[in-house]
Amino acid sequence: MSPSTERSTECSVTFRAATAGTYSVEVSGDGYSVGSYSGTLVVVPDDHGDTPGTATGVTLGLSRASNLEFIGDVDYFSMTLVAGGAYTASTTGISTTITVYDPSLGQVGSAGYNSRAFTATTAGTYYIKVSGYSSSSTGAYSFVLIQ
């Protein structure tokens, strides 16, 4: 092909391995093109836990830089709260959904869009799940829990 008709396509695939092991990637063309290609494997670490058991502890009033690294990623944060305290969990950056769980992992009210106000009905560790507002949301955001 001459340079004026040569096609070039960039592609990326995000994949989260469910278990440790060896995985394969198949690369194929459109049936008409031939030529060389190159690929790079980038391991992207997840910045915050994906379950209450792996939640990142936060300090009241301090903002935490965060990122939903891949489609379907969720981040959990935790903090020990006092009974009767009124709190607001919020994010800035990408559009997120915030869901709050009490110490027994029961959902506290409904989920909120970028902000969720709630009252701690019992003392203990509460968990806040941040997920993308849409099923394909990824990107950077900041999280903060205030009273």
Side-chain angles (χ1 to χ4, degrees):
M1 285 186 172
S2 68
S4 62
T5 60
E6 188 174 328
R7 291 185 291 174
S8 174
T9 302
E10 291 187 21
C11 177
S12 68
V13 176
T14 304
F15 169 74
R16 181 172 188 173
T19 60
T22 301
Y23 292 85
S24 300
V25 176
E26 179 180 323
V27 178
S28 62
D30 62 7
Y32 299 100
S33 301
V34 295
S36 62
Y37 66 91
S38 64
T40 304
L41 175 64
V42 178
V43 177
V44 179
D46 197 2
D47 58 350
H48 300 290
D50 292 340
T51 66
T54 59
T56 299
V58 295
T59 301
L60 197 63
L62 293 181
S63 182
R64 177 73 99 156
S66 307
N67 199 342
L68 295 177
E69 287 85 9
F70 48 86
I71 293 172
D73 187 19
V74 299
D75 291 338
Y76 273 86
F77 299 94
S78 66
M79 184 170 185
T80 301
L81 304 178
V82 298
Y87 301 92
T88 300
S90 62
T91 61
T92 57
I94 64 167
S95 296
T96 63
T97 299
I98 298 173
T99 309
V100 178
Y101 298 92
D102 65 22
S104 63
L105 299 180
Q107 185 172 327
V108 178
S110 59
Y113 169 71
N114 284 351
S115 183
R116 176 70 173 84
F118 66 98
T119 299
T121 55
T122 60
T125 302
Y126 281 70
Y127 302 93
I128 298 102
K129 179 176 96 173
V130 177
S131 57
Y133 182 70
S134 74
S135 61
S136 61
S137 295
T138 60
Y141 68 94
S142 292
F143 172 83
V144 68
L145 179 65
I146 60 172
Q147 187 170 21

